[in-house]
Amino acid sequence: MKPDSAERLANLVEQLKIKNVRRHIFLCADQTKPVCATREEGLASWNYLKKRLEELGLTKAEDCVYRTKANCLRICDRGPIAVVYPEGPWYPSGPPEVLERIIQEHLIEGRPVTEYVFAENPL
């Protein structure tokens, strides 16, 4: 890697607070071939998640939460599906009220929302 490229990467790591990521939520949305939810439902969930994490200041906090829009998480039922790491619970994230509980209880407070968890695999 060229020195200037390495320096740019180091600056991005600092700017994006990658070393401070406490949790990372992956959400299937905007699938190429929607199966578990319509494209509109997936995008609505993604937009809600993105907006709320920004509103709550979680994307650039000292203990920040990262989000990634996945094309498909391969669980094609009751979607959109979400998984949160490092704890590893899998959720059918569905409507905003379910996502809000995941945000408040799991992403902020660190307690998985057990009534929605259908699988677990911690890192």
Side-chain angles (χ1 to χ4, degrees):
M1 189 179 328
K2 296 179 185 177
D4 62 327
S5 181
E7 185 176 327
R8 278 197 311 271
L9 275 178
N11 288 336
L12 280 171
V13 166
E14 183 63 33
Q15 177 187 348
L16 297 173
K17 301 204 180 278
I18 288 174
K19 293 180 181 179
N20 298 24
V21 174
R22 173 177 42 141
R23 291 195 173 79
H24 194 146
I25 182 168
F26 294 80
L27 179 72
C28 67
D30 200 13
Q31 299 89 339
T32 306
K33 295 179 181 178
V35 177
C36 68
T38 67
R39 182 173 188 272
E40 293 75 22
E41 290 170 320
L43 288 174
S45 291
W46 173 252
N47 290 330
Y48 182 84
L49 175 67
K50 196 166 84 167
K51 177 182 166 202
R52 286 298 289 146
L53 293 179
E54 287 289 331
E55 286 174 351
L56 295 166
L58 295 173
T59 58
K60 295 187 178 154
E62 283 308 309
D63 289 326
C64 61
V65 173
Y66 259 43
R67 58 179 163 65
T68 296
K69 178 172 39 171
N71 183 287
C72 179
L73 292 173
R74 299 181 65 190
I75 306 290
C76 299
D77 189 32
R78 294 182 52 215
I81 300 298
V83 60
V84 177
Y85 288 114
E87 297 88 358
W90 290 69
Y91 298 104
S93 60
E97 54 271 11
V98 174
L99 267 174
E100 187 63 33
R101 288 208 42 210
I102 294 168
I103 292 166
Q104 295 297 325
E105 296 175 33
H106 190 164
L107 299 179
I108 294 174
E109 297 175 14
R111 293 179 293 110
V113 187
T114 56
E115 70 187 82
Y116 294 115
V117 173
F118 67 84
E120 292 183 83
N121 187 15
L123 292 181

